[in-house]
Amino acid sequence: MVVPAAIAVSALMGGVASGAVPVALKVSGQTAMLSADKLDAKGFSQFGAVVVKKDGTPIPVAASQIKYAEITNLCQSVRVPGTNLVLFIRGGREAGKPVIARDLMIGMDYLSGDAVFTNIDIGTDASALTKGGLPPVGLEGQFGQEADTAVINNLNQRFYSTHAGEFHLTGMSLNLKFDGSECFSQLKP
């Protein structure tokens, strides 16, 4: 498993150097955790990409584009480096009032849950992906996948970047914890 992953990362880094891989510039390089009881997406695309720290360090990610999403019981946590201080943002906890997001672009390196995809196409050229909304940003010759819908229950995600055209945090709350706990703790293989 390690050898194919190393080859994939090498190919992505070579693509960044040649300008062939899409890049989101100036990310912090720090990850955040997100959990939700349910993510219900209408329009989903995914492909390999790279985010880049301000100092130029590239980080390979799975880029997901989602046209419209409803998220139930969202929890997002970000730990202050070198401390047990964690910032939490929550929303969509009241029945029938989910968090709503439009035109999402997420750069992640971990995702788990119970997923159901409708009308999924796996192996589509990344430059031809259209179901995730936004103009397709994957590159020609890269592996991509897309689906009309994606429903993920018991979602856990670690990400470097998120962009949304709109993000409605219904029932939002923000608080700090000092015990180092986050929205979820174990990354399952």
Side-chain angles (χ1 to χ4, degrees), residues 33-152:
M33 304 288 215
L34 183 139
S35 66
D37 290 348
K38 182 178 182 181
L39 168 80
D40 189 350
K42 310 290 190 260
F44 171 83
S45 299
Q46 190 171 62
F47 52 93
V50 172
V51 294
V52 177
K53 291 172 53 173
K54 189 174 180 180
D55 68 4
T57 304
I59 303 167
V61 295
S64 291
Q65 288 181 279
I66 298 173
K67 188 173 187 176
Y68 174 85
E70 293 184 357
I71 307 165
T72 305
N73 195 21
L74 175 141
C75 174
Q76 179 180 312
S77 60
V78 180
R79 181 189 294 253
V80 175
T83 74
N84 282 328
L85 177 61
V86 181
L87 170 71
F88 282 85
I89 298 175
R90 292 189 171 86
R93 292 186 279 179
E94 189 176 330
K97 295 185 178 181
V99 169
I100 305 283
R102 288 183 176 85
D103 296 325
L104 276 170
M105 174 65 88
I106 306 162
M108 71 185 96
D109 70 349
Y110 178 81
L111 175 71
S112 70
D114 302 312
V116 176
F117 298 93
T118 304
N119 293 324
I120 189 166
D121 296 312
I122 300 170
T124 302
D125 189 289
S127 69
L129 299 171
T130 60
K131 293 181 180 182
L134 304 169
V137 295
L139 295 173
E140 185 175 334
Q142 287 188 340
F143 186 95
Q145 58 188 9
E146 62 183 349
D148 290 344
T149 67
V151 177
I152 304 174

Side-chain angles (χ1 to χ4, degrees), residues 20-40:
V21 173
V23 171
L25 295 176
K26 296 184 183 171
V27 299
S28 69
Q30 183 180 355
T31 57
M33 304 288 215
L34 183 139
S35 66
D37 290 348
K38 182 178 182 181
L39 168 80
D40 189 350

